[in-house]
Amino acid sequence: MYKYDDYDQRIVADRVRQFHDQTQRFLDGKLSEDEFLPLRLQNGLYVQRFAPMLRIAIPYGMVNSEQLRKLSDISRRYDKGYVHFTTRQNLQLNWPSLEEVPNILEELASVQMHAIQTSGNCIRNTTTDQFAGVAHDEIVDPRPWCEIIRQWSTLHPEFAFLPRKFKIAVSGSVEDRAATNVHDIGIHAHLNDNGAVRFKILAGGGLGRTPMIGSVIKESLEPEHLLSYLDAVLRVYNQYGRRDNKYKARIKILVKALTPQVFAEKVEQEWLAIKDSNAHLPEQEISRVASFFTEPAYQSLASVDLNDLALSASVPFQLWLKRNVHVHKKPGYSAVTLTLKATADAPGDASAEQLDAIAGLADKYSFGELRVSHEQNLIFADVQQNQLYELWQQLEILGLATPNQGLLTDMICCPGGDFCALANARSIPLAEDIQRRFENIDFLHDIGELDLNISGCMNACGHHHVGHIGILGVDRKGEEYYQIQVGGASGYDTSLGKILGPSFKMEEVPDVVNKLLQTYVKERRPDERFIDTCRRIGVEPFKESVYAAA
């Protein structure tokens, strides 16, 4: 993973010193709330329902064991002993005190971490595939390109105050595991006929109040022009994006208003004027950044037949092998997902004790590194297959071996009304109700792959629009209700879910989900996933089952 040089470290240290001073001036009454607001936001500090919330950047989801131990220590000393992993591969502390946030940032800087641009109307953390670098279907490793984008976008003076927040995702595999189609900019890295890296650029995707799928604005872009082209996209957005209405300020609204073709033409015109400027990306710099993402010290191992391994062990281990262990590009290795979705645990949460233990396991089994997925899980990317059973035993003790990756209870869930001041309804209690209702692991495996996503409000932090089953918290005259939709998906074949009808009370939702599942079981064909059945038969049979008179 990328290592800071003196220049990187100085930038982060300077920002910490600045925020120490800014926070103290605010506490002393020398800065107003309005003056302090943009300063705290661009240092990742929110004011939530009950306490401040600090969002810490985990660039493209890569974190090492030393950093994880520091996060554990910070959560103990400055928070309530747990952390929350987000859908942007970041981490949140939900209970820090305002006075201590600069001290937290100083401690983060000591392990090459920060909270810069994790909030505010700027370019946020660039995300990618949690299996980047090890995926069996990888065409281009996206991590060097994510790091190049990170360095270009961090503290970029021209894009510090955009019309709205701005999110970029990069994918370089046959399967899109980064939800690139629903980002402000989506980048698909591929090889052309001559084996050279090229990028397909999409713009105008996003969820929230007006969900949209991104449109292709550049079919093939040479690597040396990546930053100049992104510059052009941001400049067009900065110039033409709405600033009079925050609900119409995202780039997706601009792309739709202009049409993708006209937007692409404006970007092309801007790009042609700057493509050979200082934004040109030299091969030397590409090679420098790529040098940080070399392979670890893999051993020469023979591949293990995981079916034979499963037959030699218990049923829980067999199920874990089936769901949580993934094909690796290197013989004798696998990637392993730790789903932070055990029943009654808030999705995406991990305790300080778990973080310390995970850090130790990463050192022992996965070269001291971990990944964070946008599904709010953790990944050991490089586990020897002959150590899988031993690792599973350790994860069982920690409560991190739930064999449900990609199943119904491996849900995406925002913090909701228990924390967020913007939420209309609670998400975490509903997630627990669904987990308890469907915790029978045999039933989950029979249902198979199914994405269930929960958002507490229209901001869609829980990605409900692209869940096979999406649940949105809504306010009905001061009461919490939940709107249900089906048919969403977030891969290269992205689709937005369709609302079934009137919303439901929280206690009704598990029954509604059960009716959806029973309809699927009734209608499915052999080896057909929930989303495939939904696309084949449409939403009407699901709607009829949900709203049929008892």
Side-chain angles (χ1 to χ4, degrees):
M1 60 189 294
Y2 183 76
K3 302 294 183 184
Y4 284 10
D5 58 19
D6 291 341
Y7 183 72
D8 297 308
Q9 193 66 52
R10 190 164 65 250
I11 288 175
V12 174
D14 285 348
R15 175 50 67 98
V16 171
R17 283 192 293 271
Q18 291 165 3
F19 195 62
H20 263 290
D21 178 64
Q22 292 161 353
T23 303
Q24 191 58 54
R25 284 190 286 143
F26 172 70
L27 294 172
D28 291 342
K30 297 176 181 178
L31 288 177
S32 68
E33 287 275 2
D34 288 343
E35 290 170 326
F36 188 56
L37 175 64
L39 301 176
R40 66 170 172 80
L41 286 179
Q42 290 215 350
N43 285 278
L45 183 61
Y46 286 77
V47 175
Q48 294 283 72
R49 190 178 295 273
F50 301 111
M53 180 271 281
L54 180 65
R55 181 178 295 138
I56 297 166
I58 302 180
Y60 38 91
M62 291 195 71
V63 62
N64 64 37
S65 58
E66 179 189 16
Q67 293 169 333
L68 206 64
R69 290 188 179 93
K70 174 58 72 174
L71 293 168
S72 170
D73 180 56
I74 287 173
S75 75
R76 282 192 179 94
R77 292 192 290 118
Y78 296 101
D79 207 278
K80 294 191 175 184
Y82 75 95
V83 302
H84 175 73
F85 292 97
T86 78
T87 54
R88 289 215 65 71
Q89 300 177 304
N90 287 324
L91 179 145
Q92 291 178 182
L93 299 176
N94 287 317
W95 301 98
S97 67
L98 173 60
E99 295 84 351
E100 293 182 322
V101 167
N103 297 331
I104 296 173
L105 296 180
E106 188 171 1
E107 298 220 22
L108 289 171
S110 72
V111 292
Q112 303 190 356
M113 299 190 79
H114 61 78
I116 297 169
Q117 292 179 206
T118 58
S119 182
N121 294 334
C122 54
I123 301 172
R124 302 287 186 88
N125 186 37
T126 298
T127 57
T128 193
D129 184 352
Q130 65 267 30
F131 301 121
V134 304
H136 71 288
D137 65 337
E138 187 167 87
I139 303 166
V140 176
D141 187 345
R143 294 173 300 168
W145 306 106
C146 290
E147 176 57 31
I148 287 169
I149 293 169
R150 185 195 70 82
Q151 294 188 25
W152 160 79
S153 63
T154 301
L155 303 181
H156 196 307
E158 191 173 348
F159 307 136
F161 296 97
L162 295 167
R164 264 312 247 127
K165 58 188 176 181
F166 203 90
K167 300 175 180 179
I168 301 173
V170 186
S171 176
S173 296
V174 173
E175 181 182 348
D176 179 13
R177 290 175 285 267
T180 56
N181 286 342
V182 287
H183 279 73
D184 297 289
I185 291 178
I187 301 174
H188 298 167
H190 59 278
L191 301 178
N192 67 8
D193 292 341
N194 297 320
V197 173
R198 292 292 184 269
F199 302 110
K200 178 187 289 187
I201 310 294
L202 296 84
L207 301 177
R209 187 175 298 271
T210 312
M212 295 184 189
I213 298 171
S215 300
V216 176
I217 60 169
K218 189 75 171 177
E219 281 288 350
S220 182
L221 179 72
E222 296 88 348
E224 62 267 27
H225 296 309
L226 176 62
L227 297 187
S228 61
Y229 193 82
L230 295 181
D231 259 325
V233 174
L234 268 295
R235 286 185 177 192
V236 170
Y237 172 49
N238 219 1
Q239 180 177 357
Y240 295 101
R242 296 278 297 270
R243 294 179 183 269
D244 60 325
N245 185 332
K246 70 177 183 179
Y247 301 116
K248 297 181 180 181
R250 296 293 293 269
I251 193 174
K252 61 189 177 184
I253 304 298
L254 177 62
V255 172
K256 182 178 181 181
L258 293 175
T259 73
Q261 179 181 354
V262 172
F263 180 83
E265 289 171 356
K266 288 184 178 296
V267 170
E268 192 77 11
Q269 183 179 6
E270 179 69 30
W271 177 59
L272 290 175
I274 65 173
K275 61 180 292 191
D276 296 319
S277 67
N278 291 335
H280 188 271
L281 188 57
E283 179 58 41
Q284 181 181 1
E285 179 62 10
I286 296 172
S287 298
R288 183 189 73 85
V289 175
S291 69
F292 290 97
F293 300 95
T294 54
E295 291 184 350
Y298 291 125
Q299 297 183 29
S300 296
L301 301 173
S303 292
V304 173
D305 188 322
L306 297 188
N307 290 323
D308 288 345
L309 181 62
L311 292 174
S312 67
S314 64
V315 171
F317 177 66
Q318 293 174 19
L319 295 174
W320 181 80
L321 278 179
K322 179 181 178 181
R323 294 308 318 177
N324 293 42
V325 177
H326 313 278
V327 180
H328 197 286
K329 69 178 184 180
K330 286 291 182 181
Y333 286 86
S334 293
V336 172
T337 295
L338 287 62
T339 55
L340 303 179
K341 314 290 173 59
T343 299
D345 288 348
D349 282 8
S351 69
E353 292 74 20
Q354 286 176 322
L355 292 182
D356 283 334
I358 291 167
L361 294 176
D363 286 335
K364 185 175 182 180
Y365 296 106
S366 193
F367 300 103
E369 289 184 358
L370 293 113
R371 313 291 182 84
V372 183
S373 73
H374 83 268
E375 292 95 352
Q376 301 172 284
N377 293 322
L378 298 178
I379 292 90
F380 292 142
D382 300 293
V383 179
Q384 292 184 21
Q385 291 175 328
N386 56 21
Q387 294 180 328
L388 286 170
Y389 184 74
E390 183 180 320
L391 173 60
W392 172 77
Q393 289 177 306
Q394 299 294 316
L395 294 176
E396 276 276 275
I397 295 170
L398 296 171
L400 295 169
T402 307
N404 65 340
Q405 195 277 325
L407 302 180
L408 171 68
T409 55
D410 180 24
M411 60 189 74
I412 292 176
C413 175
C414 75
D418 289 304
F419 297 97
C420 182
L422 300 176
N424 294 315
R426 292 168 295 165
S427 301
I428 295 172
L430 177 58
E432 180 178 350
D433 287 348
I434 295 171
Q435 288 171 331
R436 291 191 183 281
R437 175 67 177 270
F438 302 104
E439 64 181 343
N440 182 294
I441 202 67
D442 292 330
F443 176 77
L444 291 177
H445 279 256
D446 176 64
I447 293 297
E449 180 184 329
L450 198 157
D451 296 336
L452 189 148
N453 300 349
I454 306 174
S455 296
C457 75
M458 283 299 297
N459 286 306
C461 295
H463 295 188
H464 66 278
H465 296 293
V466 290
H468 300 161
I469 298 175
I471 302 176
L472 168 65
V474 296
D475 184 315
R476 283 176 50 180
K477 298 180 179 179
E479 290 190 66
E480 295 177 321
Y481 276 76
Y482 297 86
Q483 188 181 80
I484 311 297
Q485 55 192 50
V486 299
S490 62
Y492 287 127
D493 59 345
T494 297
S495 56
L496 301 174
K498 296 182 179 179
I499 299 169
L500 292 182
S503 54
F504 299 89
K505 294 181 178 180
M506 181 186 290
E507 59 268 24
E508 299 174 314
V509 174
D511 284 337
V512 172
V513 173
N514 186 57
K515 290 176 181 178
L516 295 175
L517 298 180
Q518 295 308 317
T519 301
Y520 162 59
V521 170
K522 176 183 175 183
E523 299 287 347
R524 67 181 173 183
R525 293 174 177 172
D527 300 321
E528 192 173 52
R529 303 170 302 165
F530 180 95
I531 184 62
D532 299 325
T533 300
C534 188
R535 286 171 171 169
R536 178 173 55 82
I537 68 175
V539 300
E540 283 304 317
F542 294 98
K543 182 176 182 178
E544 290 171 5
S545 70
V546 166
Y547 294 102

